[in-house]
Amino acid sequence: MDVFIWTAKINRKKILLTLGALLCISAAVLTLLGNRGTAAAATVSPKGIKSEEDRVAYLADWGWQVSPQAVLVEELELPEEFGPEYSQYLELQTGQGFDLGKYAGKRVRRYTYEVLNYPTGETGVVAHLLVCKNRVVGGEVMGGSFLHGLAMPQ
């Protein structure tokens, strides 16, 4: 029976410096990821959105101050199949973590709120929330010349 013995000289100073550098790099990466426009998507839960207050609070979690009541509520039926004309809209929703494909052919309610704090001061801006069975399944913010996701623009 052969026995192998392996020895190594450990330099504690180098190990501590390496661990410190890894910690700094990890912190920098997390900070960069946390500052992206979709950071709120990871922390804002789309579930349990049952009331007007829940919807207003959901939008507030994204940074929006909105009218206390929806200015318009519409019941919509999503298409059974999304054609090419929906490709940009579906990309917008997917980029926020919403998968409208799961809700194809289903009825949703679209709640429209007036946005009171758009960063440019622009008026006439609205936020839409698509809700199905107490869950936000999509949403966007739009003005006269733009449409973007729920994340506050930088």
Side-chain angles (χ1 to χ4, degrees):
M1 175 155 99
D2 293 329
V3 176
F4 292 99
I5 298 175
W6 184 67
T7 61
K9 185 175 181 182
I10 298 175
N11 185 331
R12 289 185 184 176
K13 190 175 184 180
K14 286 183 181 178
I15 290 175
L16 289 176
L17 285 173
T18 303
L19 289 175
L22 288 173
L23 184 62
C24 287
I25 291 169
S26 298
V29 168
L30 289 174
T31 299
L32 288 173
L33 290 176
N35 287 335
R36 289 178 31 204
T38 59
T43 59
V44 179
S45 175
K47 298 176 185 176
I49 308 297
K50 299 176 184 177
S51 67
E52 191 85 63
E53 292 80 20
D54 293 339
R55 292 185 294 276
V56 170
Y58 181 82
L59 288 167
D61 284 345
W62 285 92
W64 299 112
Q65 294 172 3
V66 297
S67 53
Q69 294 182 329
V71 295
L72 182 63
V73 178
E74 301 169 279
E75 189 148 330
L76 308 172
E77 186 171 330
L78 296 178
E80 289 286 337
E81 291 184 28
F82 291 99
E85 66 274 14
Y86 287 99
S87 63
Q88 286 182 320
Y89 187 72
L90 291 173
E91 285 177 27
L92 171 73
Q93 299 305 326
T94 302
Q96 302 182 101
F98 298 122
D99 181 5
L100 283 180
K102 288 181 175 178
Y103 299 92
K106 296 195 177 179
R107 295 181 86 61
V108 298
R109 285 209 173 153
R110 181 170 68 181
Y111 295 90
T112 303
Y113 292 90
E114 180 184 5
V115 172
L116 306 174
N117 67 330
Y118 200 77
T120 63
E122 188 168 340
T123 59
V125 178
V126 295
H128 294 138
L129 288 181
L130 297 176
V131 179
C132 182
K133 297 182 180 177
N134 301 325
R135 180 186 186 96
V136 176
V137 298
E140 65 272 352
V141 174
M142 71 184 261
S145 62
F146 63 86
L147 172 74
H148 60 74
L150 294 172
M152 180 80 69
Q154 302 297 323

